[in-house]
Amino acid sequence: MLDWSSGNDTGPTPRKDAIWLGEAGREPVYLRNRDLAEFVLGAMFGAVVNAGDRLLIGVDVPFGYPAGFGKALTGSDDPFAVWDWLEANVTDTPKGNNRFQLADQINGGFPGIGPFWFNALKDDLPNLPRKDVRDGHGMAERRACDAAVPGTFTLWQMGGAGAVGGQAFTALAVLNRLRKNFPDQVAVWPFQTPETPIVLVETWPGLLNDAVKRAEAMGEIRDKAQVNIMAQAMAHLDAADLDEMLAVDATAEGWIFGAGHEDRLRKAASRIAPPPLRNDCFALPPGVDWTPVDTALNMLRDRLHPVTSPEPVSVFAAAGRVLAEDVIAKRSNPPQPNTAVDGYGFKGGAPDDAPRWLPLVDGRAAAGAPYDGTVPDGHAVRVLTGAALPDGVDTVVLEEDTTTDAGQIAFRGPLRQGANTRKAGEDIAAGAVALPKGRVLTPADLALASAVGHGELMVQRPLRVAVLSTGDELLEPGDEAGPGQIFDANRPMLLALAAGWGYAPIDIGRVPDDRDTLKTRLDEAAEKADVILTSGGASAGDEDHVSALLRESGAMEEWRIALKPGRPLALGLWNNTPVFGLPGNPVAALVCTLVFARPAFRLLSGEAWHQPKGVMVPAAFTKRKKPGRHEYLRARLRDGAAEVFKSEGSGRISGLSWAEGLVELGDGAAEITPGMPVKFIPYSAF
């Protein structure tokens, strides 16, 4: 994807309003001037031809002009006659070009005030107005494809924001030279059949503006984001969709690739993997040593973003998955007015309690079998639950409130007009957001998505969580233990947590206190997973190799969190994969995983930020707490009150199994006595 500029050399530092070249799977390239751009494109074309590859390149420049312009300028309706004319007449250097003078020259050949406008030079030009002043020239304002795509700019504008005119002059001159330099190797769509090794198509990144804006919000240069997103989207198009987008009748005006197929292009763009996290995403503010729990959580919330890519999944397999985009109702629910009960339908209601007799028409209305015809005023028709209301019916009387005899019904009011019916769209209207992006899909959500017309949903790929344990002392559970050895309790616990949260757990195994072995295993984990959980080696001791390796990689922070149990938490990136280095103690490892890793994983997986909701319950224990640290006590509910485990020792793993959740105590001092309210967070809330 090529984003063009008609301005002067933009300097060595990448910037907006410049030339950018994006290639699927690679970092976009900044090109400071058109000479460099032509050289790079020529080298790319040559490499494609020599390798026997094929290249689809979108160019953010109109390939054709409104009907009649080519004939007026060159005497021919062939769009390439205009390209040839521009190549012959455009003079261009990195420091300037003659685009305004050329527009002035062209305008002079038209009657009235010529079509081009906006002279951005200091010198006046007799035939190029500074403002949008045009009259009597006979040209249409826009091409047919421009009119079909809201937000596009007119080719006649030469200067100012959205100045397409100058871009077309300079770009078409360059593209014309390139296609001549590679005869029979380059096709320009839709003027030529796209069967050559290199195919040029006109694009407009505004078709993917929502995705571009999201990238801008993350600090990306807009032009760089445009070429990256459009190139990736084109690469992710299904073959059938690509064929259909290219099936356009050739016109001298040209066409915008993807126009009329915006939904398919956006769907392809939504499959693009998000950018990696920044190396400094876990950096603490200067001077910060001890980090309060709430501060740590806020930093995670503000600095992390999804790292999983979207994928389409059938509604039959989407339960538990995270929505990658809003689900917009394709049709209303109900799609048409219908009856809410079995009974008889008629028009007008029954405002008083007087008895009424209505003759029945032949036939009935049932779900999926609508009544064929109109029910006359003063008549009724048999209707069943869910049936579309026949024409002439707006009210239904319950079957059990009627008597029938000799082809008529009798009932008493009052019955309001519209009773026992449902309006079209009273649940969800077509075009409304039925389910928001970031939601974890429940069975009920799948019913709603299906009801509003979706058989497939765009969801995030499940987060892949790699788990590894470190330490020479660790043994696999069930092995024979020798002196000083312990069984690895953390790995089965953490893998089970990941699976229970709907993620894809990846067991990387146990790693001894050997830096080279650990490095190899971290490489393996980063290759297979989206996030890595380690336990042990997260402090600053001689054998704490996890933190040491992360520190060497240049992307490690040791968060000394004011927390009990827990405290040291190593956070960093390994080969662009986030690493959560947990304490080796199982109690502290579990608490840190629940409190910090779980909400972070939600964000990384595309879900909305969520912290567990606790409930206030009476305490069934006594506790004196010093100020300065958040504390989490292993607890369970009995008779509506929170009991805590008999020991706060972080080595008492049995307390994790005994507990049903955690009691959270804030940073301040506290004196808890039985009956005082405390915050209990069940494990299920995480």
Side-chain angles (χ1 to χ4, degrees):
M1 167 65 194
L2 179 67
D3 189 56
W4 198 254
S5 171
S6 56
N8 294 346
D9 186 296
T10 47
T13 303
R15 48 163 287 184
K16 64 177 183 177
D17 298 327
I19 302 174
W20 285 88
L21 180 65
E23 184 177 355
R26 296 186 181 181
E27 183 73 8
V29 176
Y30 167 70
L31 302 169
R32 58 185 292 177
N33 59 55
R34 288 173 296 283
D35 283 356
L36 177 60
E38 186 170 353
F39 173 79
V40 170
L41 289 169
M44 176 183 282
F45 286 15
V48 168
V49 171
N50 291 336
D53 291 336
R54 300 197 73 199
L55 171 68
L56 175 67
I57 179 165
V59 185
D60 183 20
V61 167
F63 286 178
Y65 285 81
F69 176 75
K71 185 83 169 178
L73 180 67
T74 68
S76 170
D77 286 324
D78 182 357
F80 292 119
V82 176
W83 290 40
D84 289 338
W85 190 94
L86 289 171
E87 182 193 353
N89 288 277
V90 169
T91 57
D92 196 0
T93 72
K95 295 183 178 181
N97 57 66
N98 68 335
R99 64 187 187 276
F100 297 108
Q101 292 86 352
L102 207 56
D104 174 71
Q105 175 188 333
I106 296 172
N107 273 356
F110 279 85
I113 303 174
F116 292 101
W117 59 279
F118 202 129
N119 172 17
L121 300 176
K122 294 181 179 179
D123 299 328
D124 289 331
L125 295 173
N127 299 307
L128 185 64
R130 294 189 181 277
K131 297 183 178 180
D132 183 2
V133 180
R134 294 159 287 162
D135 183 56
H137 53 73
M139 295 289 103
E141 174 66 14
R142 294 176 178 273
R143 304 173 300 163
C145 59
D146 296 327
V149 180
T152 55
F153 297 94
T154 173
L155 273 141
W156 307 128
Q157 182 181 347
M158 295 302 299
V164 175
Q167 293 179 4
F169 278 13
T170 55
L172 297 184
V174 169
L175 295 178
N176 205 48
R177 281 193 293 272
L178 287 169
R179 75 184 189 91
K180 290 179 178 178
N181 290 339
F182 294 90
D184 302 322
Q185 304 295 319
V186 177
V188 179
W189 175 89
F191 309 138
Q192 297 171 313
T193 304
E195 296 176 349
T196 52
I198 301 165
V199 178
L200 306 178
V201 299
E202 176 188 335
T203 55
W204 189 61
L207 296 176
L208 297 175
N209 199 40
D210 288 346
V212 174
K213 283 185 175 180
R214 287 195 293 271
E216 274 191 293
M218 295 173 64
E220 191 65 273
I221 296 172
R222 179 175 179 83
D223 305 292
K224 179 181 179 182
Q226 287 182 162
V227 298
N228 183 47
I229 291 170
M230 184 62 81
Q232 299 282 3
M234 292 194 297
H236 283 81
L237 281 170
D238 293 333
D241 288 343
L242 178 59
D243 288 342
E244 190 168 344
M245 289 183 186
L246 293 173
V248 173
D249 290 336
T251 69
E253 288 191 334
W255 193 259
I256 296 173
F257 177 80
H261 303 278
E262 290 85 352
D263 288 347
R264 300 185 190 191
L265 198 59
R266 290 170 190 145
K267 183 176 180 180
S270 70
R271 299 173 183 170
I272 301 169
L277 297 173
R278 296 163 54 125
N279 272 5
D280 61 352
C281 67
F282 295 122
L284 292 172
V288 171
D289 187 7
W290 285 98
T291 307
V293 169
D294 290 342
T295 300
L297 288 171
N298 288 337
M299 284 192 287
L300 291 174
R301 181 193 62 203
D302 294 341
R303 297 177 182 183
L304 300 180
H305 62 75
V307 297
T308 57
S309 56
E311 62 181 1
V313 169
S314 164
V315 291
F316 294 98
R321 302 290 290 275
V322 179
L323 269 179
E325 61 188 22
D326 289 345
V327 174
I328 307 299
K330 294 183 177 180
R331 69 182 305 198
S332 297
N333 184 50
Q336 62 274 318
N338 64 36
T339 174
V341 297
D342 291 344
Y344 298 90
F346 61 99
K347 185 175 184 180
D352 54 47
D353 62 356
R356 282 170 171 74
W357 293 268
L358 297 176
L360 281 172
V361 298
D362 292 334
R364 69 173 192 174
Y371 177 76
D372 185 15
T374 300
V375 178
D377 286 349
H379 288 67
V381 65
R382 175 74 166 136
V383 294
L384 301 181
T385 302
L389 291 183
D391 291 339
V393 170
D394 61 16
T395 306
V396 175
V397 59
L398 284 162
E399 180 176 4
E400 50 266 39
D401 292 339
T402 66
T403 57
T404 59
D405 182 43
Q408 66 177 358
I409 62 168
F411 66 95
R412 285 182 178 273
L415 194 66
R416 64 175 178 80
Q417 188 173 13
N420 301 313
T421 66
R422 306 184 186 105
K423 297 178 181 178
E426 71 175 27
D427 181 21
I428 295 287
V433 176
L435 296 167
K437 173 184 176 181
R439 182 179 178 87
V440 178
L441 291 166
T442 66
D445 293 336
L446 301 182
L448 177 57
S450 301
V452 296
H454 290 270
E456 186 177 82
L457 299 173
M458 190 63 68
V459 297
Q460 299 290 146
R461 177 178 48 75
L463 188 75
R464 300 168 300 175
V465 180
V467 176
L468 67 91
S469 297
T470 66
D472 288 337
E473 73 280 12
L474 295 180
L475 287 175
E476 201 70 9
D479 286 355
E480 289 292 329
Q485 294 182 311
I486 60 174
F487 298 114
D488 183 0
N490 285 343
R491 226 169 75 249
M493 175 180 69
L494 297 175
L495 288 167
L497 280 174
W501 290 333
Y503 306 139
I506 300 173
D507 187 5
I508 303 298
R510 295 174 294 107
V511 183
D513 290 320
D514 177 80
R515 196 162 298 189
D516 290 338
T517 303
L518 177 59
K519 182 178 182 299
T520 300
R521 292 290 185 87
L522 285 173
D523 288 341
E524 176 189 352
E527 180 71 24
K528 294 180 177 179
D530 304 301
V531 63
I532 303 170
L533 271 181
T534 71
S535 61
S539 295
D542 293 340
E543 300 299 331
D544 292 322
H545 299 296
V546 172
S547 54
L549 281 174
L550 289 175
R551 194 174 289 110
E552 288 174 8
S553 75
M556 185 270 182
E557 291 289 333
E558 183 179 321
W559 288 14
R560 300 175 66 196
I561 298 173
L563 170 72
K564 178 183 178 181
R567 201 169 65 180
L569 186 65
L571 298 168
L573 298 179
W574 187 265
N575 296 343
N576 291 324
T577 303
V579 179
F580 285 72
L582 304 171
N585 185 291
V587 175
L590 178 67
V591 170
C592 285
T593 300
L594 295 177
V595 175
F596 300 109
R598 174 55 166 153
F601 287 5
R602 288 180 185 270
L603 272 188
L604 295 172
S605 67
E607 192 180 342
W609 177 262
H610 172 85
Q611 287 179 242
K613 299 292 190 293
V615 293
M616 300 303 294
V617 298
F621 62 93
T622 300
K623 162 78 175 175
R624 176 177 291 177
K625 177 188 174 297
K626 295 180 180 180
R629 285 198 296 179
H630 237 71
E631 291 192 20
Y632 291 92
L633 310 177
R634 286 151 283 177
R636 65 186 184 185
L637 291 184
R638 290 295 182 270
D639 298 324
E643 299 178 350
V644 298
F645 190 57
K646 58 188 177 182
S647 169
E648 293 183 18
S650 57
R652 302 290 291 270
I653 303 176
S654 63
L656 295 177
S657 176
W658 173 91
E660 297 166 350
L662 303 172
V663 162
E664 179 183 11
L665 303 178
D667 296 332
E671 182 114 14
I672 309 297
T673 57
M676 287 184 62
V678 292
K679 184 178 180 181
F680 174 74
I681 308 174
Y683 286 148
S684 60
F686 293 94

